Amino acid sequence: MINKPDRLYFIDAMRAWAILMMLQGHFVDGLLDHAFRDTSHLGYNIWLYFRGITAPVFFTVSGFIFTFLLTKGDKTGFSNPRVAKGIKRGLQLVLIGYLLRLNFWGLLVGQIYNTFYLVDVLHCIGLSLLGIIALYVLTEKRKALFPIALLAITILLFIFEPNYSKWAHAYLPQTFANYFTKANGSVFTIFPWFGYATCGAFLSLVFAKFKNAKYVYPIAITTALTLGAGLLFGSSAVFLYLAETTKVQLFADIFFNNYLFIRLGDVLLVFAVFMLFRKFMTNSTLLKMGQSTLSIYVVHYIILYGSFIGVGLYYFLNHSLAPSIIIPGAIAFMITCTFLALQYEKHKVVIKATIVSALKQGTTLLEPWATFAFKLTKDLFIKIRNATLKLFRLVKD
């Protein structure tokens, strides 16, 4: 494997770990029988806790790597070619998020099901990238404001989550309200998850500033461990103290449901672990997985939830499997999805060319029929119009 000096391999390894955690998490959560969801069982509790780490890590790493690449060159603002690429990528993620929820059978009967409009992780990551780009462009003239804005947004979104999470946004069309509330069934909402992306973006700016320092990794690891452990074990106590001292209800609400800051602590600890063992994370397959997370996500979604046709593993095995089947099944599921996705990445150029060629051929074959249908429709419309005008004249006379 050829080493690239600017490539942060531990980030790719983190992305690979996060996508594998997401795959097994969705598989187990969707197919495990309710009878085995016992919170008094140590093994289930450990799995449940680590499953909760996956999304925060994924959002934070996405913000980190995107911003690290965005700010790497000398060009700024819209003159930076990565701005256009980032906008395209963000919109692409939102579009794919909707396509994965599309049901072709519904389209055949002229119906789009309500699940199509629900917001999932791809929608929120896509919008998060667009949000980071907006902040980057707006602070072009005063670059020092960019990291300040990123950190401020993270803190504000996390602190005020108990307030805005209660808003139903009934004044918005449901399609747009789904980005801000889970009331209609959305899995993720842009707030507070944008906060993890902006936190990752902030961390990337700090890392990029000191990446050539002699002791950058020892200092980064120590800092991540300290801050991570502090947030994990001490943030609740801080908010309890603030609530008791200031009598502000918001601090009490955070204390009773302090999942955002605790999960941020988990994320920093994961960063520390992967930076600590970064020298052992240069396996080419592992890194390729980290660079192919979108393809892996799409493949897993189609197999598990049955995108497009509505028939997947979830359709047949919904909450029906025992742990003896779930555990080897989850391993097989991760291997299958990863293998198929990597094969797609390997032959992506040929596959895309074949699809484009097939579409062009299909368009050529359908063109005479489309012309005939258009002419027939046009003639029919003219006859209906003439008949209506004739009838109108007769009634008028």
Side-chain angles (χ1 to χ4, degrees):
M1 186 185 68
I2 299 174
N3 288 326
K4 300 177 182 178
D6 290 335
R7 191 84 197 184
L8 300 179
Y9 294 112
F10 78 90
I11 290 293
D12 288 329
M14 282 183 67
R15 294 172 74 187
W17 175 80
I19 195 66
L20 290 177
M21 288 286 289
M22 183 177 291
L23 262 58
Q24 64 84 20
H26 287 176
F27 184 89
V28 174
D29 183 66
L31 307 186
L32 181 65
D33 195 309
H34 287 293
F36 299 100
R37 298 169 188 263
D38 183 9
T39 53
S40 64
H41 191 281
L42 178 62
Y44 180 76
N45 273 338
I46 293 174
W47 171 84
L48 197 62
Y49 188 87
F50 274 90
R51 187 187 177 226
I53 298 175
T54 306
V57 169
F58 211 85
F59 273 89
T60 307
V61 170
S62 297
F64 186 104
I65 192 64
F66 177 77
T67 308
F68 184 81
L69 295 174
L70 178 68
T71 57
K72 189 170 67 171
D74 297 328
K75 296 182 179 180
T76 60
F78 285 108
S79 61
N80 183 347
R82 291 192 179 274
V83 169
K85 290 181 180 178
I87 293 173
K88 181 181 178 181
R89 183 66 165 182
L91 294 175
Q92 180 191 43
L93 291 177
V94 174
L95 177 61
I96 293 174
Y98 279 118
L99 288 177
L100 289 177
R101 288 185 166 274
L102 191 63
N103 189 303
F104 287 166
W105 303 123
L107 289 180
L108 290 177
V109 297
Q111 184 176 1
I112 296 179
Y113 300 118
N114 289 333
T115 53
F116 170 78
Y117 301 102
L118 300 181
V119 173
D120 215 323
V121 62
L122 288 186
H123 303 79
C124 290
I125 291 180
L127 286 184
S128 295
L129 300 187
L130 295 176
I132 291 172
I133 289 174
L135 291 172
Y136 170 75
V137 172
L138 289 172
T139 58
E140 176 188 2
K141 301 300 181 182
R142 301 187 66 181
K143 294 182 180 180
L145 290 178
F146 187 39
I148 295 173
L150 292 170
L151 184 60
I153 287 174
T154 298
I155 294 173
L156 291 174
L157 287 179
F158 285 11
I159 287 179
F160 288 100
E161 188 271 345
N163 288 344
Y164 64 74
S165 63
K166 300 174 184 176
W167 300 345
H169 301 281
Y171 58 91
L172 290 173
Q174 187 169 312
T175 303
F176 297 107
N178 288 339
Y179 282 92
F180 303 102
T181 177
K182 293 183 179 179
N184 302 317
S186 289
V187 181
F188 286 85
T189 53
I190 187 61
F191 303 138
W193 292 100
F194 182 46
Y196 285 108
T198 53
C199 179
F202 172 79
L203 293 176
S204 77
L205 295 179
V206 176
F207 190 90
K209 184 177 179 62
F210 299 102
K211 66 178 180 179
N212 295 321
K214 184 177 181 180
Y215 300 106
V216 59
Y217 278 105
I219 294 174
I221 293 169
T222 303
T223 304
L225 285 172
T226 304
L227 291 177
L231 288 170
L232 182 60
F233 300 109
S235 60
S236 294
V238 171
F239 286 112
L240 177 60
Y241 172 79
L242 291 173
E244 292 175 342
T245 304
T246 65
K247 307 302 180 184
V248 174
Q249 183 61 37
L250 177 62
F251 294 134
D253 293 339
I254 297 173
F255 168 75
F256 286 114
N257 191 26
N258 183 27
Y259 72 97
L260 291 172
F261 288 98
I262 287 176
R263 290 307 187 193
L264 183 56
D266 290 326
V267 170
L268 292 175
L269 292 178
V270 171
F271 263 89
V273 170
F274 276 84
M275 285 190 290
L276 183 63
F277 296 102
R278 66 192 180 280
K279 293 182 179 179
F280 304 100
M281 298 177 184
T282 56
N283 178 270
S284 59
T285 302
L286 179 68
L287 299 179
K288 189 63 178 177
M289 288 167 55
Q291 297 161 21
S292 309
T293 52
L294 178 58
S295 297
I296 296 173
Y297 182 89
V298 170
V299 170
H300 112 280
Y301 208 98
I302 294 173
I303 295 176
L304 185 59
Y305 300 113
S307 298
F308 312 128
I309 60 173
V311 180
L313 294 177
Y314 189 82
Y315 179 84
F316 297 104
L317 304 173
N318 179 18
H319 298 156
S320 64
L321 301 182
S324 58
I325 300 176
I326 278 288
I327 295 174
I331 296 172
F333 180 68
M334 288 189 290
I335 294 173
T336 301
C337 293
T338 302
F339 174 78
L340 291 175
L342 292 183
Q343 287 301 306
Y344 165 76
E345 289 291 332
K346 184 178 179 180
H347 305 287
K348 182 164 57 176
V349 175
V350 176
I351 292 173
K352 286 184 175 181
T354 303
I355 293 174
V356 170
S357 176
L359 289 174
K360 287 182 178 179
Q361 291 179 8
T363 302
T364 303
L365 292 172
L366 290 174
E367 188 173 353
W369 294 97
T371 303
F372 172 74
F374 176 77
K375 185 178 183 303
L376 184 66
T377 304
K378 180 180 178 181
D379 292 342
L380 182 61
F381 175 78
I382 292 173
K383 289 179 180 179
I384 293 173
R385 184 192 63 180
N386 292 339
T388 303
L389 290 174
K390 185 176 180 181
L391 180 62
F392 178 77
R393 292 191 193 100
L394 287 173
V395 173
K396 184 178 180 180
D397 293 340

